[in-house]
Amino acid sequence: MRDQDLIRRAEDLWQRSAAQGIVTHTNFLTPAEQYTLKTIPHLSSSLYSSGGGADCERQAAFFLPEYLSPADFDPQDYLTAFHVLCRFAQPVHRDILGSLLGLGIARWSLGDIYTQGEEAWFFCLSTVADHIARELTHVGRGGAKVTEIPLVHVPMPERQRELVSFTASSLRLDVLLAGTFRLSRDKAAEAIATGLVSLNYAICQKPATLLAPGDVFSLRGHGKAHLAELGGKSRKDRTFVTVEKYL
């Protein structure tokens, strides 16, 4: 039902964008919600996603009219970034999020949040920016100085990734899970059966599910990866596989 509601809202935004020649957009979406929209061809063809910075996890989906290409589109008109300075305190993600939710800001209006020492940065929908600028004066029990900044001034953390290459007898989920996380085939199948594995952000309990390049899979407690590339065949008819593992 939740996916159906998301698709219905996106369909309406897509149709309004096409009919009125305007930019429309969703709220910030989780990776699972983003994936749902990208699997629908007529929506994904005119969809552009942005969280405000490169490699953001939470992103809004924008529907662009025919005259506007992604290269010419500036999300700065719809998304806002803030810098937060907390003197003599070192806020963590939950401190910033809790303070924002305490102002009555909905989670779907907020994008990624980053913290480092006394500083923090976060993205939000521009529709709530004025409220945040006026009302966010404290984080936790301490005072906070909040400044609106250009999106490009947010220092994006570098995500650590590792390429893992191996040969696989097939592109089954249990086979690729075992090769990626250095597990036995039986351990991989057991993890899948007990609901510890997600495929494209949804729990998958079918070990025989076949993957394709671009598919994302994760094992609770071990991390996340995506199938990056397929190579040729080995002499034993095994497929050369490269996955990108997020550290």
Side-chain angles (χ1 to χ4, degrees):
M1 179 63 73
R2 187 174 177 180
D3 281 354
Q4 292 174 354
D5 289 342
L6 171 64
I7 293 169
R8 279 196 292 268
R9 292 198 302 271
E11 290 270 9
D12 178 63
L13 293 169
W14 170 65
Q15 290 172 358
R16 284 203 288 126
S17 175
Q20 301 176 30
I22 60 173
V23 175
T24 60
H25 65 88
T26 66
N27 301 316
F28 281 100
L29 304 177
T30 65
E33 291 170 329
Q34 296 167 44
Y35 179 80
T36 295
L37 295 187
K38 289 176 181 177
T39 61
I40 302 174
H42 67 277
L43 293 180
S44 63
S45 63
S46 59
L47 182 153
Y48 172 80
S49 295
S50 175
D55 214 17
C56 284
E57 184 172 80
R58 297 177 65 85
Q59 299 187 13
F62 292 87
F63 295 97
L64 307 182
E66 288 186 356
Y67 67 83
L68 186 60
S69 70
D72 296 324
F73 173 67
D74 185 1
Q76 183 80 52
D77 295 333
Y78 306 90
L79 306 178
T80 300
F82 282 99
H83 171 255
V84 183
L85 179 62
C86 302
R87 291 292 188 190
F88 313 114
Q90 296 194 351
V92 295
H93 184 281
R94 66 174 177 271
D95 297 325
I96 303 297
L97 179 59
S99 296
L100 290 166
L101 296 179
L103 299 179
I105 305 295
R107 184 64 182 99
W108 44 256
S109 292
L110 303 170
D112 285 9
I113 300 170
Y114 310 111
T115 62
Q116 182 178 345
E118 297 180 338
E119 299 177 279
W121 299 263
F122 65 88
F123 300 100
C124 68
L125 297 179
S126 295
T127 51
V128 299
D130 286 346
H131 180 58
I132 292 173
R134 287 194 311 268
E135 303 296 333
L136 186 60
T137 57
H138 288 76
V139 171
R141 297 182 179 180
K145 180 182 179 182
V146 180
T147 307
E148 183 177 331
I149 60 175
L151 300 180
V152 294
H153 287 185
V154 176
M156 301 297 295
E158 184 178 351
R159 297 188 185 275
Q160 298 295 316
R161 296 172 178 174
E162 174 189 4
L163 290 178
V164 179
S165 298
F166 54 92
T167 61
S169 57
S170 76
L171 299 182
R172 287 170 48 122
L173 177 58
D174 56 349
V175 173
L176 297 183
L177 194 75
T180 300
F181 297 109
R182 303 293 189 258
L183 304 173
S184 70
R185 182 86 171 268
D186 288 344
K187 287 289 186 183
E190 180 182 351
I192 294 169
T194 53
L196 298 179
V197 176
S198 291
L199 174 61
N200 294 324
Y201 307 102
I203 293 175
C204 181
Q205 293 181 277
K206 298 180 179 179
T209 302
L210 296 178
L211 273 65
D215 283 341
V216 178
F217 55 98
S218 61
L219 172 59
R220 192 181 306 167
H222 287 71
K224 180 173 71 172
H226 80 269
L227 180 54
E229 185 179 353
L230 300 179
K233 292 282 190 176
S234 71
R235 292 181 179 178
K236 296 183 178 181
D237 200 34
R238 295 171 64 90
T239 302
F240 288 99
V241 171
T242 300
V243 299
E244 187 174 41
K245 187 162 65 172
Y246 302 81
L247 304 178

